[in-house]
Amino acid sequence: MHLAYPAVLAALLFCTGLYGVLARRNAILVLMSVELMLNAVNLNLVAFDVWLRDTLHAGQALTLFTIAIAAAEIGIGLAIVLMVYRNRGTSDVDRLRDTVEGHEPDPNAGDSTADTTSTARPEVAA
């Protein structure tokens, strides 16, 4: 078996997943891109295991661990995305990043009934 074919396919899959992580704004699509990158790694592990004719099949064993970790990651990741979507109404990664950094808009900014009195401290005479 030629090692070049699965290695090139794995490189293409990994690059596609990397592009998806960097370019996508939807959190679910980012998780799918991470899964695509993990599957590219799994393909490389199995291909090198077959090519090296390893008697312990370490590449296949690592692939099973990677699949188990990927399943746990996607389960927890989807649970987090669903909770964020229920609370915020969007799964846009840029909007979520803005709320974490404290750039949340003031809820009273557009309210005409908000208190408009000055909140400055009164000067104290010395």
Side-chain angles (χ1 to χ4, degrees):
M1 175 175 121
H2 294 286
L3 185 62
Y5 299 128
V8 168
L9 180 62
L12 289 174
L13 283 174
F14 192 85
C15 289
T16 305
L18 186 65
Y19 173 75
V21 167
L22 296 177
R24 299 291 178 188
R25 298 295 172 233
N26 190 349
I28 294 176
L29 292 177
V30 171
L31 285 174
M32 289 175 58
S33 298
V34 169
E35 290 295 322
L36 194 61
M37 292 189 320
L38 286 173
N39 285 330
V41 170
N42 287 339
L43 181 62
N44 264 338
L45 284 170
V46 171
F48 276 98
D49 182 48
V50 170
W51 183 64
L52 292 174
R53 293 185 177 96
D54 187 14
T55 57
L56 294 176
H57 299 292
Q60 293 178 16
L62 285 173
T63 298
L64 287 176
F65 284 118
T66 307
I67 290 171
I69 290 172
E73 176 255 335
I74 199 70
I76 293 171
L78 279 176
I80 291 171
V81 168
L82 286 175
M83 288 304 298
V84 167
Y85 183 76
R86 286 181 185 170
N87 290 334
R88 305 263 187 211
T90 184
S91 63
D92 189 12
V93 176
D94 286 337
R95 287 187 185 176
L96 297 177
R97 191 177 313 140
D98 288 343
T99 58
V100 168
E101 293 173 356
H103 299 292
E104 217 173 293
D106 187 18
N108 294 328
D111 192 9
S112 61
T113 61
D115 187 20
T116 57
T117 59
S118 174
T119 59
R121 288 179 23 188
E123 295 182 21
V124 178

